[in-house]
Amino acid sequence: DSCKSTMDEAKSLPKDGWQRVISRHQTDGRGRRKSGWISKKGGLFATWSIDAKILDFFSPGLIQTSAGAVVSEILGANMKWPNDIVNSKGVKMGGVLVESVNDGVIRVGVGVNKTGFEDNGIIAAGWEETLGEINSSEVFERIDRGLSALFETKEMIGVPDIGSLSITSWKALSRFLSRGVLASLGKEMYRPTGLNTEGELEATGIGKTVNLQDLEGIGWFVAKS
């Protein structure tokens, strides 16, 4: 019913099988680099605990972008690299967080707003503008099916190949990037051109190509309306 964070609550889940936890209320949610996550009533707060053996096939970065692709598709939204779910105007609706620790599992956390809001200068969007008036349980079930199709271990069904996950992730990212989004790094401007199998964003500038591994120092600009 309530917890500090589903990412922390998931630590008590069994280590085998398809395990996940959803909470109606979250008092201390977090995003990347332990930044705070505002958990408004009615939103989705859930974490999936996945066997760490999946890291033998996919990097944490690619798992994160693939999960983000699933969530953005289900919500009728866009994905902003590496883990933000945004509406058509680029306003953040939710996010995906992947954490890997030495306990045999990785945790995939998903937080999504039901309604848009403004709180202390933070402007957020919600799934009501894309999905309409549906509750968090229905959104959870849809996302659960999507993530299960990619990451749940099932007899006689192999894991997806790494190329297909890269393509799925890039297609989801392209919906946002097609607005003419450019990335700045230092004084240089880059145009995103692809996603590699590590989940890194490939970008091309004047005379060189770089792989963006982290958001640190990166700015985003829309080159056209």
Side-chain angles (χ1 to χ4, degrees), residues 1-14 17-26 30 43-50 105-112 136-137 139-141 143-144 147:
D1 185 63
S2 179
C3 67
K4 287 186 176 181
S5 166
T6 59
M7 289 293 278
D8 293 333
E9 193 72 18
K11 294 176 182 178
S12 63
L13 291 172
W18 185 242
Q19 304 292 341
R20 58 272 203 233
V21 59
I22 180 174
S23 182
R24 291 187 178 90
H25 183 57
Q26 188 174 243
R30 64 178 183 273
L44 172 68
F45 321 115
T47 295
W48 283 257
S49 182
I50 302 173
V105 300
I106 61 171
R107 283 177 276 278
V108 179
V110 176
V112 190
S136 59
S137 295
V139 175
F140 169 79
E141 289 176 5
I143 293 175
D144 186 55
L147 294 179

Side-chain angles (χ1 to χ4, degrees), residues 33-136:
R33 299 183 183 276
K34 298 184 179 180
S35 60
W37 173 261
I38 300 173
S39 304
K40 292 290 186 179
K41 182 179 179 180
L44 172 68
F45 321 115
T47 295
W48 283 257
S49 182
I50 302 173
D51 193 325
K53 291 179 181 178
I54 198 170
L55 294 174
D56 293 339
F57 305 96
F58 312 120
S59 69
L62 188 58
I63 293 171
Q64 181 169 250
T65 57
S66 300
V70 167
V71 174
S72 65
E73 181 71 26
I74 288 169
L75 296 179
N78 299 321
M79 181 170 67
K80 180 181 176 182
W81 184 86
N83 69 329
D84 285 347
I85 309 301
V86 299
N87 68 6
S88 59
K89 296 180 180 179
V91 179
K92 189 169 179 176
M93 182 183 297
V96 174
L97 180 66
V98 172
E99 291 185 351
S100 176
V101 292
N102 296 322
D103 60 355
V105 300
I106 61 171
R107 283 177 276 278
V108 179
V110 176
V112 190
N113 307 313
K114 180 179 181 181
T115 59
F117 64 86
E118 184 172 355
D119 189 320
N120 291 324
I122 297 175
I123 300 175
W127 73 65
E128 280 193 344
E129 64 183 76
T130 55
L131 299 181
E133 182 64 37
I134 66 173
N135 62 38
S136 59

Side-chain angles (χ1 to χ4, degrees), residues 188-190 204-209:
E188 302 291 333
M189 298 294 293
Y190 296 89
T204 300
I206 298 176
K208 62 180 176 180
T209 297

